[in-house]
């Protein structure tokens, strides 16, 4: 049975990924809060990845870095600290986790790393300057490391559109906003955490053994289509 480290598996997309993986994988979760999930295959470490030392782990076959931010403000209201904080959460936290566990991943079985971007890197959206800048860094990291770590470790990223999590609660805060968001997407839907978790599970599996350095736009058509 493989072992996968999930950073940020207590809520939202991370929790959905954790629950998918636990069926067939040993999962080591690292997050500030403890997941409200109990399973023989689950080990949890309480840790703020941006502020504390990550725990020592002896062996792993994969790493999924889930923490992210949605800091939507006009550029005139975004401070330099806003940009720094988003970059630290989305990019430097991922770098910190990768550097910490790279040596054990290299020794793993068909190892893989999965990161998270956003459709706002491809589709210009008002008020997304800070998060799109940070997530563009994630995409650059994905492609650079995919090349650097080949053929030993695969590295990919998922770029979801709006997903029904607490992070998106401000833009999905009532039925009218939910319906408007669905209508903006050609497939007339936005994402559930399960939608993203299913894609993540595939990319971490051996079924995706020929895929690396890719950014998967899980977008309900909003980037690719104009309808």
């Amino acid at each position: 049975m493989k072992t996968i480290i999930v950073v940020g598996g207590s809520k939202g997309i991370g929790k959905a990924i954790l629950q998918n993986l636990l069926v067939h994988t040993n999962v080591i979760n690292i997050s500030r809060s403890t997941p409200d999930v109990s399973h023989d295959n689950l080990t949890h470490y309480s840790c703020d990845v941006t502020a504390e030392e990550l725990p020592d782990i002896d062996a792993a076959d994969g790493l999924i870095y889930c923490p992210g931010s949605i800091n939507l403000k006009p550029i005139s209201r975004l401070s330099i600290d806003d940009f720094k904080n988003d970059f630290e959460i989305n990019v430097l936290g991922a770098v910190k986790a990768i550097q910490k566990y790279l040596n054990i991943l290299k020794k793993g079985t068909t190892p893989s790393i999965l990161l998270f971007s956003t459709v706002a890197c491809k589709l210009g959206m008002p008020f997304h300057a800070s998060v799109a800048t940070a997530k563009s860094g994630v995409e650059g990291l994905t492609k650079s490391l995919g090349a650097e770590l080949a053929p030993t470790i695969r590295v990919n990223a998922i770029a979801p559109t709006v997903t029904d999590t607490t992070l998106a609660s401000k833009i999905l805060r009532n039925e009218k906003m939910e319906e408007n968001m669905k209508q903006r997407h050609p497939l007339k839907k936005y994402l559930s955490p399960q939608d993203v978790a299913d894609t993540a599970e595939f990319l971490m599996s051996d079924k995706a053994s020929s895929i690396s350095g890719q950014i998967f736009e899980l977008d309900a058509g909003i980037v690719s289509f104009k309808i």
Side-chain angles (χ1 to χ4, degrees):
M1 185 181 293
K2 285 190 174 184
T3 297
I4 293 179
I5 301 167
V6 178
V7 181
S10 62
K11 297 177 182 177
I13 290 171
K15 180 181 175 181
I17 292 171
L18 181 145
Q19 290 176 310
N20 268 25
L21 293 176
L22 283 173
V23 176
H24 51 71
T25 305
N26 288 317
V27 178
I28 300 172
N29 178 65
I30 302 170
S31 58
R32 289 179 295 180
S33 55
T34 304
D36 58 355
V37 176
S38 179
H39 199 285
D40 290 342
N41 293 342
L42 176 61
T43 302
H44 171 70
Y45 291 96
S46 293
C47 177
D48 181 346
V49 67
T50 63
E52 300 174 322
E53 287 298 316
L54 291 164
D56 293 329
I57 294 171
D58 293 333
D61 307 295
L63 170 65
I64 305 175
Y65 184 85
C66 300
S69 57
I70 302 180
N71 187 10
L72 305 184
K73 297 179 186 177
I75 186 65
S76 59
R77 288 177 48 206
L78 281 167
S79 67
I80 293 300
D81 283 341
D82 285 327
F83 279 88
K84 287 180 179 178
N85 290 338
D86 285 339
F87 195 81
E88 183 171 35
I89 293 167
N90 291 281
V91 182
L92 298 184
V95 171
K96 182 178 178 180
I98 291 167
Q99 288 181 331
K100 174 71 175 181
Y101 301 121
L102 184 58
N103 286 337
I104 63 169
L105 288 171
K106 287 179 177 178
K107 300 173 185 176
T109 301
T110 57
S112 182
I113 295 170
L114 181 64
L115 306 176
F116 282 89
S117 180
T118 171
V119 292
C121 293
K122 296 289 192 303
L123 181 67
M125 297 181 185
F127 313 129
H128 283 68
S130 182
V131 66
T133 297
K135 291 298 194 181
S136 294
V138 172
E139 295 196 2
L141 182 66
T142 299
K143 290 185 172 295
S144 294
L145 290 185
E148 180 177 337
L149 301 179
T152 307
I153 302 175
R154 296 186 300 108
V155 186
N156 292 293
I158 298 173
T161 188
V162 174
T163 307
D164 189 9
T165 67
T166 53
L167 274 180
S169 59
K170 290 183 179 179
I171 55 178
L172 298 172
R173 60 179 178 268
N174 57 52
E175 289 184 4
K176 183 178 180 180
M177 294 181 77
E178 290 175 359
E179 185 59 30
N180 286 342
M181 189 60 70
K182 289 178 183 177
Q183 293 305 315
R184 286 186 63 194
H185 292 78
L187 296 187
K188 305 307 178 189
K189 61 172 288 187
Y190 49 83
L191 302 180
S192 70
Q194 191 62 51
D195 291 327
V196 187
D198 290 344
T199 302
E201 183 180 15
F202 166 72
L203 289 173
M204 295 301 290
S205 75
D206 289 345
K207 292 179 180 179
S209 62
S210 298
I211 301 172
S212 190
Q214 301 301 307
I215 314 297
F216 286 84
E217 292 167 6
L218 203 59
D219 67 349
I222 197 169
V223 173
S224 304
F225 306 142
K226 183 178 180 181
I227 298 176

